[in-house]
């Protein structure tokens, strides 16, 4: 399984290296609004998983200490350029989400936006996010996933092989189930576009839900 995931990761990495210039220029007004909302109120030591070309960078509070990882060196090059344009200090590292080189309980917040559509083993990736997040910290996700609508969900299943072949992104990931399987607790679930796009706030244990 590990060998298979490594092969898949390398294949997806090549695809994202190829489409990095397109991703650098592509972002809708709606996505910008969602990004801004997701990243509001952050403080302390922050990790962004799958930082890509740095589309989230303009929305981080200036006071945070930010680290960004991605498995695509081409994506990271564009993120570096964006950070320089914004005058931001960001520690950018080429790293696989499924196997992070950070110590346990390093970050106050862990962020990912539209990442778990392409991670070969999303459950393992989420477990790694939980590992490097402080017990009292938060994981915040902005993700697209398979629709809860039976008809729309089936259509997404049919289209998924095409989107994977073109960009490496799965449009039918059952992300809510994966969150549960990773042992994370949903503190906040905001549906942004039907049940397909959601903003999720996750915690490591249910203790924070008790008064």
């Amino acid at each position: 399984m590990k060998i298979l995931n490594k092969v898949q990761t390398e294949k997806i990495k090549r695809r994202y290296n190829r489409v990095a210039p397109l991703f650098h220029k592509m972002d809708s007004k709606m996505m910008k609004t969602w990004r801004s909302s997701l990243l509001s109120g952050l403080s302390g030591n922050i990790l962004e998983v799958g930082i890509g070309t740095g589309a989230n960078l303009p929305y981080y509070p200036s006071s945070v200490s930010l680290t960004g990882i991605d498995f695509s060196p081409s994506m990271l090059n564009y993120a570096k350029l964006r950070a320089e344009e914004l005058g931001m200090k960001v520690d950018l590292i080429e790293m696989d989400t499924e196997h992070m080189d950070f110590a346990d309980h390093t970050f106050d917040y862990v962020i990912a936006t539209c990442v778990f559509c392409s991670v070969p083993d999303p459950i393992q990736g989420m477990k790694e996010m939980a590992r490097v997040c402080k017990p009292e910290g938060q994981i915040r996700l902005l993700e697209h996933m398979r629709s809860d609508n039976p008809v729309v969900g089936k259509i997404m299943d049919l289209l998924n092989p095409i989107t994977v072949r073109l960009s490496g992104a799965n449009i039918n990931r059952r992300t809510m189930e994966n969150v549960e399987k990773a042992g994370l607790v949903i503190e906040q679930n905001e549906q942004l576009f039907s049940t397909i796009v959601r903003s999720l706030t996750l915690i490591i244990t249910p203790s924070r839900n008790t008064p």
Side-chain angles (χ1 to χ4, degrees):
M1 181 62 72
K2 288 184 179 179
I3 295 176
L4 178 60
N5 282 350
K6 186 174 181 180
V7 171
Q8 290 176 329
T9 298
E10 288 301 317
K11 183 184 293 185
I12 297 168
K13 181 192 292 189
R14 289 194 295 271
R15 286 171 178 160
Y16 275 94
N17 283 336
R18 185 179 70 243
V19 300
L22 176 63
F23 272 55
H24 184 59
K25 297 179 180 180
M26 182 180 67
D27 210 20
S28 68
K29 184 177 181 180
M30 187 173 293
M31 275 297 297
K32 292 176 180 178
T33 300
W34 292 342
R35 294 181 195 278
S36 178
S37 178
L38 183 79
L39 302 177
S40 65
L42 297 180
S43 61
N45 198 15
I46 314 297
L47 171 67
E48 181 173 345
V49 170
I51 195 168
T53 63
N56 286 331
L57 292 181
Y59 310 104
Y60 280 103
S62 59
S63 58
V64 303
S65 175
L66 180 61
T67 300
I69 68 169
D70 204 286
F71 67 176
S72 167
S74 293
M75 290 280 191
L76 288 172
N77 286 338
Y78 282 104
K80 182 180 179 181
L81 288 173
R82 198 186 301 263
E84 291 173 350
E85 291 171 358
L86 294 169
M88 291 181 64
K89 183 179 179 181
V90 186
D91 190 11
L92 296 170
I93 307 170
E94 184 178 342
M95 191 181 297
D96 184 355
T97 300
E98 295 179 28
H99 307 285
M100 297 191 219
D101 294 331
F102 304 114
D104 295 356
H105 310 154
T106 298
F107 300 97
D108 298 292
Y109 293 87
V110 182
I111 308 298
T113 60
C114 301
V115 168
F116 285 94
C117 58
S118 56
V119 176
D121 187 342
I123 296 171
Q124 173 60 25
M126 290 178 187
K127 286 181 178 178
E128 275 290 271
M129 293 176 76
R131 181 184 66 78
V132 302
C133 187
K134 294 178 180 178
E136 68 277 12
Q138 285 184 349
I139 296 171
R140 295 188 184 182
L141 306 181
L142 174 59
E143 289 290 333
H144 64 86
M145 60 197 73
R146 189 182 191 275
S147 174
D148 288 347
N149 181 290
V151 176
V152 177
K154 288 293 185 182
I155 293 173
M156 295 175 81
D157 289 340
L158 292 171
L159 293 175
N160 192 64
I162 300 173
T163 64
V164 171
R165 192 175 300 113
L166 290 174
S167 68
N170 294 272
I171 61 171
N172 67 341
R173 282 277 168 90
R174 298 178 185 267
T175 300
M176 302 303 288
E177 295 178 16
N178 291 338
V179 166
E180 183 178 350
K181 290 177 181 177
L184 292 164
V185 176
I186 299 174
E187 187 175 56
Q188 183 176 347
N189 174 9
E190 183 180 359
Q191 296 183 11
L192 301 174
F193 179 73
S194 182
T195 58
I196 296 175
V197 181
R198 303 183 192 230
S199 175
L200 303 174
T201 300
L202 312 177
I203 56 176
I204 313 305
T205 69
S207 60
R208 294 192 58 199
N209 289 331
T210 58

